[in-house]
Amino acid sequence: MEWAARRDHMKGVPRKMVIMAIGSFAKAIANILNTTSVHNAETLIRLVRSRPPGVPLITISNHMSTLDDPVMWGFKGFPICDANLARWVLAAEDICFKNALFSYVFRVGKCIPITRGGGIYQEHMNEALERLTEGEWVHTFPEGKVSQEDIPIRRLKWGTASLIVRSPVTPIVLPIVHNGFEKVMPETYFLGKRPPIPLCGKKINIIVGEPVEFDIPKLTQMAISKSRDLSHPTKGWPTLSQVEFKKKNVRWNEESTLVTWILCYVCLIGF
């Protein structure tokens, strides 16, 4: 259903309607039914509104609940209802694209379906790259799944790192860490299931870090110097020569490690 994600689909009217509706829902959950505090919100707003032309933005965050996106963008002052500024987000195909109706709404709402375990070269990862090529904003949850345990950031998947490396224009990367969403939409609320509607009266905390600009040439040289230590491929990789694979393997692993440390640091200073 790629056609539903096109900017010119029905002159953009469905997208504007969906973004407006979802944005209003997010604002109600974040500001009326619950209390949301945001540290360094101005940095996020500035990068969404006025980063250099053609420069893409990747925001990364931990994943506490199925409501993280869009509610994390519903705080006061954020232009969540602006369809032109709204993020593209990588969304789990098995959850958000269960049927034709869900698929249409999520596609119109700027969601890109990702098959978990499908590897970094699956079809729609290329779509995410296209959005970055156009200078758009893409949000990812590099942990790969919801985790409501009170533990440090888990080891990240390589998908986000591959987007950073493969993007024709190196994106600005903005780390975000939050908590409280696990109380608004707990995974095991009653009989091991989520509540039918979001809970209210909870406190949501969002910490926006500082933008990071990765030095891709430096990481490439690091990958070359370390590639001799790797000897076998990993599931999900395309067919590559041994040398090519080793270089890509190390480089994306280095990116993932850096992103993990950034998220952990933001988490420590924020909470």
Side-chain angles (χ1 to χ4, degrees):
M1 202 174 283
E2 290 82 359
W3 50 268
R6 294 172 186 162
R7 185 189 300 270
D8 59 355
H9 170 56
M10 295 181 66
K11 298 184 178 181
V13 173
R15 176 178 292 181
K16 290 179 180 178
M17 293 176 63
V18 168
I19 296 296
M20 179 69 72
I22 297 301
S24 299
F25 166 80
K27 283 188 173 294
I29 298 299
N31 303 308
I32 299 176
L33 299 180
N34 297 282
T35 302
T36 300
S37 62
V38 185
H39 171 74
N40 199 26
E42 61 277 5
T43 296
L44 173 61
I45 294 174
R46 173 176 57 82
L47 289 175
V48 168
R49 285 189 179 276
S50 57
R51 63 186 177 278
V55 177
L57 171 67
I58 294 181
T59 50
I60 55 175
S61 74
N62 56 323
H63 203 0
M64 298 296 288
S65 79
T66 53
L67 279 183
D68 294 357
D69 183 281
V71 178
M72 65 186 296
W73 317 120
F75 63 86
K76 294 178 181 178
F78 190 81
I80 188 173
C81 293
D82 189 324
N84 293 323
L85 295 179
R87 87 291 170 263
W88 290 88
V89 62
L90 306 187
E93 189 173 35
D94 59 322
I95 295 176
C96 302
F97 299 85
K98 292 181 177 180
N99 54 51
L101 178 60
F102 277 26
S103 295
Y104 180 76
V105 171
F106 279 101
R107 287 303 259 154
V108 168
K110 302 177 77 170
C111 296
I112 301 173
I114 295 297
T115 302
R116 288 184 283 195
I120 61 173
Y121 283 98
Q122 58 182 283
E123 176 186 359
H124 291 294
M125 285 294 283
N126 291 330
E127 181 181 346
L129 278 174
E130 290 176 9
R131 302 290 81 81
L132 293 174
T133 301
E134 296 167 355
E136 296 275 8
W137 166 27
V138 175
H139 182 71
T140 74
F141 296 103
E143 291 177 290
K145 62 181 180 179
V146 169
S147 174
Q148 298 192 337
E149 300 175 12
D150 187 16
I151 59 175
I153 303 297
R154 291 193 307 257
R155 181 179 183 277
L156 307 186
K157 305 297 183 181
W158 286 2
T160 300
S162 75
L163 291 177
I164 297 171
V165 172
R166 294 163 62 198
S167 176
V169 178
T170 302
I172 297 172
V173 179
L174 186 67
I176 302 172
V177 173
H178 53 76
N179 70 6
F181 288 109
E182 74 281 7
K183 298 176 182 177
V184 178
M185 183 58 71
E187 288 288 294
T188 55
Y189 178 69
F190 182 68
L191 297 179
K193 296 183 178 180
R194 304 184 192 104
I197 59 174
L199 305 182
C200 59
K202 311 300 180 182
K203 183 171 178 57
I204 300 168
N205 299 294
I206 302 173
I207 308 295
V208 179
E210 293 299 325
V212 179
E213 297 186 26
F214 287 95
D215 188 340
I216 302 303
K218 181 179 179 180
L219 287 169
T220 300
Q221 291 303 314
M222 187 184 300
I224 294 173
S225 66
K226 290 187 176 182
S227 62
R228 298 175 183 176
D229 298 330
L230 298 173
S231 59
H232 52 271
T234 303
K235 180 182 177 181
W237 289 89
T239 302
L240 297 170
S241 70
Q242 189 176 19
V243 174
E244 287 175 329
F245 173 79
K246 289 177 180 178
K247 292 178 182 179
K248 290 176 180 289
N249 191 329
V250 175
R251 184 169 57 173
W252 289 328
N253 190 50
E254 291 290 341
E255 290 279 3
S256 290
T257 301
L258 285 170
V259 171
T260 301
W261 279 107
I262 290 165
L263 282 174
C264 285
Y265 176 73
V266 173
C267 185
L268 288 172
I269 66 172
F271 302 125

